């Protein structure tokens, strides 16, 4: 299995004629410190040579051709409502090869009423038993993916997300439930995905359920997981081009996806 450093080195050896472009869009519930989290992600991407645009309005998703010119979209928006056309625009961009990466409620609790968003991102938050401050272990899955190479299990004290998860995702890390007691405790113990990847057309999707607030995102293992996930997603467009991938059937939404 290649290390992540080797994967990046091989990418650099191929060369590139432009800086990669990323869009970070933050907002929604202030309790998740979206601005502070967006600033962390901006710093990571700038250090990797990206041109980064940061916006605090969902109207940043209004120009589909501009979105398709990006390499990466990073939503940091919790418990919002979104116009369906904006979701369609993001979906079309990702299907064309633009990466989509995010964490915690900022991506998989962004728009609870929109199932198209949930279909694209691979899951949706439903509970965090015990609230903030639950101590639990994040277990890194053995995988051929460079996204997990060299990473070790670690303990975090934060919200432990229970999610409804797309069975098509590739799980990179898990956490054991139940930890905090509740009505779910009478079920058998389960390994809940913490981080995963998914494909959406030619695009790559990465999600990490950690990141309740900026201090959690700034934890070295969490920050490294997000760095790797964002970089991997941003490679989707060039990877699809070099492999000759052709989209045969674009997905334009369910039509009855939200109230």
């Amino acid at each position: 299995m290649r290390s992540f450093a080797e994967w990046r080195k091989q990418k650099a050896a191929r060369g590139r004629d432009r800086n990669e472009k990323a869009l970070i869009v933050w907002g929604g519930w202030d309790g998740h410190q979206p601005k502070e989290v967006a600033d962390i992600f901006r710093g990571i991407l700038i250090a990797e040579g990206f041109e980064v645009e940061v916006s605090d309005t969902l109207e940043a998703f209004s120009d589909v051709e501009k979105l398709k010119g990006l390499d990466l979209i990073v939503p940091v928006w919790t418990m919002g409502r979104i116009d369906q056309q904006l979701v369609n625009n993001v979906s079309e961009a990702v299907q064309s090869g633009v990466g989509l990466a995010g964490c915690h409620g900022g991506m998989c609790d962004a728009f609870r009423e929109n199932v198209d968003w949930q279909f694209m991102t691979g899951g949706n938050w439903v509970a965090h038993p015990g609230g903030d401050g639950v101590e639990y272990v994040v277990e890194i899955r053995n995988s051929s993916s460079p996204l997990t190479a060299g990473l070790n299990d670690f303990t975090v004290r934060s919200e432990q997300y229970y999610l409804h998860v797309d069975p098509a995702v590739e799980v990179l890390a898990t956490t054991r439930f139940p930890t905090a007691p509740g009505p779910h405790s009478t079920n058998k113990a389960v390994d809940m995905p913490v981080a995963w990847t998914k494909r959406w057309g030619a695009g790559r999707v990465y999600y990490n359920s950690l990141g309740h607030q900026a201090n959690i995102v700034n934890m070295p293992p969490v920050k490294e997981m997000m760095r790797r996930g964002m970089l991997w997603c941003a490679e989707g467009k060039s990877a699809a081009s070099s492999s000759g991938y052709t989209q045969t059937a674009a997905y334009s939404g369910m039509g009855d996806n939200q109230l």
Side-chain angles (χ1 to χ4, degrees):
M1 180 173 62
R2 288 181 301 169
S3 71
F4 190 77
E6 289 171 337
W7 176 77
R8 288 293 287 169
K9 185 176 180 180
Q10 290 174 4
K11 173 190 180 300
R14 293 196 298 270
R16 62 189 185 193
D17 58 7
R18 63 177 179 82
N19 288 342
E20 291 159 308
K21 296 180 180 179
L23 170 66
I24 300 172
V25 180
W26 67 269
W29 183 56
D30 287 339
H32 277 162
Q33 299 179 339
K35 182 179 186 303
E36 292 83 354
V37 172
D39 286 344
I40 294 170
F41 291 157
R42 177 179 179 273
I44 293 171
L45 292 172
I46 287 176
E48 294 291 338
F50 281 71
E51 295 178 13
V52 183
E53 177 183 349
V54 180
S55 176
D56 63 355
T57 173
L58 293 175
E59 288 304 307
F61 297 147
S62 63
D63 186 340
V64 67
E65 293 306 317
K66 179 179 178 181
L67 295 180
K68 289 165 73 174
L70 300 170
D71 297 282
L72 178 66
I73 297 169
V74 183
V76 191
W77 199 290
T78 307
M79 292 188 291
R81 301 198 69 181
I82 188 170
D83 182 84
Q84 181 59 36
Q85 186 58 53
L86 301 182
V87 175
N88 293 348
N89 290 348
V90 175
S91 177
E92 184 176 338
V94 177
Q95 289 175 70
S96 76
V98 180
L100 182 69
C103 74
H104 202 64
M107 190 164 101
C108 283
D109 191 23
F111 312 111
R112 293 180 184 177
E113 297 175 342
N114 195 291
V115 296
D116 284 335
W117 184 269
Q118 295 163 25
F119 192 15
M120 175 173 60
T121 57
N124 199 64
W125 169 85
V126 293
H128 44 70
D132 195 11
V134 174
E135 184 171 289
Y136 60 96
V137 176
V138 176
E139 299 182 19
I140 305 298
R141 281 282 185 93
N142 290 326
S143 170
S144 61
S145 171
L147 297 181
T148 61
L151 297 181
N152 298 313
D153 298 351
F154 62 96
T155 299
V156 65
R157 184 181 292 274
S158 184
E159 291 180 341
Q160 187 185 33
Y161 260 21
Y162 202 98
L163 301 124
H164 287 171
V165 180
D166 184 341
V169 304
E170 180 179 355
V171 178
L172 303 177
T174 62
T175 183
R176 193 73 165 167
F177 273 84
T179 298
H184 63 295
S185 302
T186 52
N187 297 296
K188 66 179 181 180
V190 296
D191 292 318
M192 178 60 58
V194 169
W196 65 71
T197 58
K198 180 179 177 175
R199 308 300 176 119
W200 190 249
R204 296 175 173 184
V205 178
Y206 175 84
Y207 175 70
N208 190 321
S209 71
L210 301 166
H212 177 57
Q213 292 187 328
N215 65 316
I216 301 299
V217 178
N218 253 332
M219 291 177 61
V222 180
K223 195 172 183 178
E224 177 63 11
M225 292 172 76
M226 288 305 306
R227 183 181 76 91
R228 294 184 182 194
M230 290 190 290
L231 294 177
W232 179 83
C233 287
E235 282 283 284
K237 186 180 290 185
S238 61
S241 176
S242 62
S243 69
Y245 172 86
T246 301
Q247 177 108 2
T248 57
Y251 178 78
S252 58
M254 293 301 298
D256 59 349
N257 55 22
Q258 62 181 347
L259 298 176

